[in-house]
Each structure stands twice: as structure tokens, then as C-alpha cells.
Amino acid sequence: LKNMFAFLRPDLAHLQAYNPAHPSGNTLDRLDGNESYLDLPPELKQKLAWTYQEIIATNRYPDGGHGELKEAIAAYVNTYTLNSPNSSQPRITPEYISVGNGSDELIRSILIATCLGGSGSILVAEPTFSMYGITAETLGIPVQKIPRHNQDWSMDLEAADQTIAAQEQSPVRIVFVVHPNSPTGNALTPAEINWLRGLPENILVVIDEAYFEYCQQSLVGELVDRPNWLIMRTFSKAMRLAAHRVGYAIAHPQIIETLEKIRLPYNLPSLSQAAALLALHHRDELLSVVEQVITQRQSLIEELTTQPDLKKFFRVWSSAANFIYLRLQNEQNVDSSQILARIIHEMQAQGTLIRHTGGGLRITIGSPEENQRTLTRLAKVVDRLS
Ligand SMILES: *Cc1c(COP(=O)(O)O)cnc(C)c1O
């Protein structure tokens, strides 16, 4: 078979497909995907079903311009960007918005618009969301990786500066950051934000605010003054619409115009557009659970840092999102990664799916019952391993 499929690019051979969260349709506690643990409320699902029944014509293409959705997104972005005292500050208009089939599509469009064809590389600080690197590599775009400080998971900015200055074969065209970061849960520090502000204008700064609704900190207020910044958000997390694949980019209209040229013409099915509009109309109801998730997150961290056996075994960090990040206390252990794999396995055997990523464990905050089971089951695993 060696010479078969010679038409496939050889550089793709060593890549691995994105390892998606959990197999669907089971009764496990699915705490490996950072989704909301709540489905849409039944009344809203019914409304959506009504829209499908009465409004959507399945023989017709979707609205390829996303006009109504962009209006609603712009309004949403503006209501949550009121921390600016200057009310005359320019507001986000639909020209600042592009909607993708999940943020994943936007990541790809951004890479095509900037680095494709040997014109540049991207910079990421690991551990971070893996899709930036995976997607870049599928397009033959080099990925430059810098480390983070493991006290607070902030980026090693000195290493970042050196990497950018080195400019080796391909200059850095994009810096990807997540605010707050996945899997480590930390929001950008003032020093990191200042560093982003100081980056040259020929570098695109992508700030992924996928968990914005959980942390309520956004850099959108600065966007109008920073034409080389792009902010991404998604309906997949706090908005409870992971099944519908809707993400959006907020950036200067000229960047948006380019992304619109690149995306597929009908990238967003009619039902997904309807679902996103519905979620925005009912956002207060959908987001009312955020507070409880934050309380649950705090008590989970509290337990992990006070129960003696757990504390001895795991190190845990504070988080600004709907998940927590753990590492082994004894990381020098040569088998560290095997131990983590075994924990994942034993948690799954007990009925809880969590994620082994970035050298640690990422656990989504679920319902209070799920979180309680997370603790009991972790304690059981630790008991067995120590
Ligand atoms: C979950 C997540 C997303 C969402 O991606 P979609 O394609 O919109 O579902 C984006 N960025 C980060 C960092 C995430 O964790």
C-alpha cells in the first residue's frame, strides 16, 4: 500500500485527527467537553421545533449572509461591553461580526486568510486549545510553541518575544490566546494583556473568549481601537448549543470582509441560525445557571485542596471558566502520564468521563450531583493508587 494514495500530502501522515469528547448517547457523567450540563429548557426546544416545522423550508438554502443573527450578536456583544465609561465609544456593528460553523471554522478561515502559502507561522503558549495547532498543521502552517509558568499558567512572555524576534524561516503572523485558557482555566493577566497591546500591528492577535460568559471579562471594549485584534466567541459552551455548531468572530470590518470571502457560502444550517437567535433572545434565562456553576467550581476546588488524600495526590489551580485543571503532585514520577491515563480509565469505569490533556486532567463542572460523584470517584481512584 506504500505507493497507493500518493496523491495524499505526505505531511498529513503524522497528524492525528482531533480526539473528540465522549461517544454520545449514554448515561455517563460527561465532564470531558466543557459543555453546559443543561440542555435547552423544554419550552425553548419546543419553540425551536415550531420554527423548524412552520418557518424553515428544508428545500431552501439557509440565509447565507447571517444578517439577522449578526444584528443580534452585535447587540449581545454591546450589552456586555458596558464597562467602558466613555459612552460615545464606537459600538460593535454587524460589520464587525463573522459567523462560523463553530469557532473551529473561524480558526481555519483566519489561518487561510493570514498564513497559508508560506507567508507566516502562528504562536501558541502550551498547554492550550489544540485546534489552533492541529488546523494550522493541516494547512502546512508552522506552529511555534512557547511554555507557560506553572504557578499561574501565564505565558512565558520572554520566550514569546524571543520567538517573534527570531523570525526564522517564517515570521509569526498570529498569536492565539484563550481568555480564560483551556485546559488551565486562567484568564489573561494585566501583564499579558499589556504585552498583547504592544505587539506590532503586522501580527494578528486572536483572543478566544469561548468561556466569556463564565468569567465576564472581555477585551471587546478595546477592539475598535485595535485593528489587529480579533475576538472569538461560541454558542457551544454557556449558551448550551454545542450540537448546533455556531461560533463568531468580532474584528475590524476589513478583517471580517476577508473572512467572509473565505468561508463556505452556506456554512450555517437554518436550524442552527434559528437556535442561536433563540438563545440570544432568552440569554438571561440560559445564563442564569452560570452563578451556580461558579459556586460549584469553587466548592470542588475547596474539596480538592482540603481533603487530605486528594490534596496529597493532586495539585489544582483556580479557574475562571466552567472547568478545573489538575496535575499530579508528584510530577517527577516517570510514569506520570501513565498514571493520568489510568485515572481517566478508572473514572470512566465508574461512570465519569474527564479529559487527559496538556499534561494534566481537565474536569468540566457538571450538575451538583455529577460534581459530587466526581469527588467520590476521584477519592476512590486515589485510594487505589496510593
Ligand atoms: C470549546 C472551545 C471552543 C468552541 O469551539 P466551537 O467550534 O465553537 O464549538 C473554542 N475555543 C476554545 C478554547 C474552546 O475551549
Side-chain angles (χ1 to χ4, degrees), residues 18 33-35 100-107 128-132 177-183 208-211 232-237 241-242 245-248 323 362:
Y18 181 76
N34 291 349
E35 300 135 319
N101 192 275
S103 312
D104 292 343
E105 184 194 10
L106 295 166
I107 293 167
T128 195
F129 189 46
S130 61
M131 283 309 293
Y132 314 127
V177 295
V178 196
H179 183 44
N181 188 44
S182 174
D208 188 338
E209 295 186 351
Y211 301 96
M232 280 196 304
R233 300 233 190 113
T234 181
F235 285 82
S236 298
K237 303 287 157 63
L241 293 184
R245 312 299 303 122
V246 189
Y248 54 99
F323 56 85
R362 194 194 66 194

Side-chain angles (χ1 to χ4, degrees), residues 7-118:
F7 41 79
L8 293 175
R9 276 166 43 201
D11 62 313
L12 295 178
H14 78 281
L15 296 184
Q16 295 205 322
Y18 181 76
N19 174 20
H22 53 248
S24 59
N26 51 43
T27 55
L28 298 169
D29 293 350
R30 291 151 63 163
L31 306 181
D32 60 342
N34 291 349
E35 300 135 319
S36 171
Y37 72 90
L38 290 171
D39 195 348
L40 281 184
E43 320 81 70
L44 292 192
K45 250 186 156 169
Q46 236 157 37
K47 267 193 187 176
L48 192 57
W50 181 88
T51 304
Y52 187 64
Q53 186 77 36
E54 302 295 332
I55 309 284
I56 293 175
T58 64
N59 58 318
R60 300 294 173 195
Y61 282 108
D63 172 0
H66 316 146
E68 195 184 354
L69 183 53
K70 284 184 181 184
E71 291 274 355
I73 290 171
Y76 171 62
V77 169
N78 285 325
T79 47
Y80 281 81
T81 316
L82 300 176
N83 31 15
S84 158
N86 180 3
S87 60
S88 66
Q89 188 180 336
R91 290 308 178 104
I92 298 302
T93 55
E95 293 70 45
Y96 278 81
I97 310 285
S98 181
V99 193
N101 192 275
S103 312
D104 292 343
E105 184 194 10
L106 295 166
I107 293 167
R108 181 147 69 179
S109 296
I110 292 163
L111 290 165
I112 292 172
T114 53
C115 300
L116 195 64

Side-chain angles (χ1 to χ4, degrees), residues 107-147:
I107 293 167
R108 181 147 69 179
S109 296
I110 292 163
L111 290 165
I112 292 172
T114 53
C115 300
L116 195 64
S119 53
S121 62
I122 69 164
L123 183 102
V124 295
E126 294 208 302
T128 195
F129 189 46
S130 61
M131 283 309 293
Y132 314 127
I134 292 174
T135 312
E137 290 192 322
T138 65
L139 296 169
I141 296 166
V143 181
Q144 315 225 35
K145 296 168 181 171
I146 56 137

Side-chain angles (χ1 to χ4, degrees), residues 346-365:
E346 297 202 6
M347 286 298 282
Q348 175 157 5
Q350 296 181 82
T352 297
L353 299 174
I354 61 176
R355 197 151 172 105
H356 181 186
T357 180
L361 302 175
R362 194 194 66 194
I363 307 178
T364 307
I365 307 302

Side-chain angles (χ1 to χ4, degrees), residues 130-349:
S130 61
M131 283 309 293
Y132 314 127
I134 292 174
T135 312
E137 290 192 322
T138 65
L139 296 169
I141 296 166
V143 181
Q144 315 225 35
K145 296 168 181 171
I146 56 137
R148 293 173 179 271
H149 305 291
N150 81 351
Q151 315 88 286
D152 62 356
W153 298 115
S154 63
M155 299 184 281
D156 183 341
L157 297 178
E158 227 167 273
D161 280 333
Q162 280 165 14
T163 305
I164 290 169
Q167 292 252 337
E168 301 191 346
Q169 311 88 339
S170 68
V172 172
R173 281 270 168 270
I174 313 181
V175 171
F176 279 99
V177 295
V178 196
H179 183 44
N181 188 44
S182 174
T184 53
N186 53 306
L188 289 169
T189 63
E192 288 175 310
I193 294 171
N194 261 332
W195 180 77
L196 295 175
R197 289 184 185 124
L199 284 172
E201 288 198 346
N202 62 1
I203 293 180
L204 175 66
V205 176
V206 175
I207 302 156
D208 188 338
E209 295 186 351
Y211 301 96
F212 157 71
E213 284 84 0
Y214 292 104
C215 89
Q216 293 291 312
Q217 297 176 50
S218 176
L219 289 168
V220 161
E222 293 195 33
L223 203 67
V224 172
D225 300 323
R226 300 196 183 275
N228 64 322
W229 283 19
L230 180 150
I231 290 176
M232 280 196 304
R233 300 233 190 113
T234 181
F235 285 82
S236 298
K237 303 287 157 63
M239 292 293 208
R240 310 189 197 175
L241 293 184
H244 281 288
R245 312 299 303 122
V246 189
Y248 54 99
I250 318 163
H252 189 278
Q254 207 158 322
I255 301 177
I256 295 299
E257 205 182 301
T258 308
L259 296 181
E260 292 285 295
K261 291 179 195 170
I262 287 165
R263 72 169 171 82
L264 298 177
Y266 300 109
N267 62 334
L268 212 59
S270 303
L271 189 58
S272 290
Q273 296 191 41
L277 278 166
L278 182 80
L280 286 174
H281 286 138
H282 296 271
R283 62 183 176 241
D284 290 343
E285 180 184 354
L286 297 182
L287 297 179
S288 63
V289 73
V290 162
E291 214 166 307
Q292 183 214 295
V293 170
I294 291 170
T295 315
Q296 287 279 308
R297 180 187 75 207
Q298 288 326 106
S299 54
L300 205 55
I301 290 176
E302 171 89 11
E303 294 289 334
L304 283 162
T305 48
T306 52
Q307 286 192 21
D309 290 347
L310 289 172
K311 184 179 157 186
K312 213 161 58 185
F313 201 84
F314 291 117
R315 187 167 171 201
V316 62
W317 284 263
S318 62
S319 164
N322 67 330
F323 56 85
I324 55 170
Y325 183 65
L326 280 65
R327 285 206 176 183
L328 300 178
Q329 287 285 11
N330 189 2
E331 284 202 311
Q332 298 88 299
N333 193 323
V334 281
D335 301 329
S336 166
S337 136
Q338 271 166 334
I339 294 171
L340 291 174
R342 197 165 149 204
I343 295 170
I344 295 280
H345 184 80
E346 297 202 6
M347 286 298 282
Q348 175 157 5

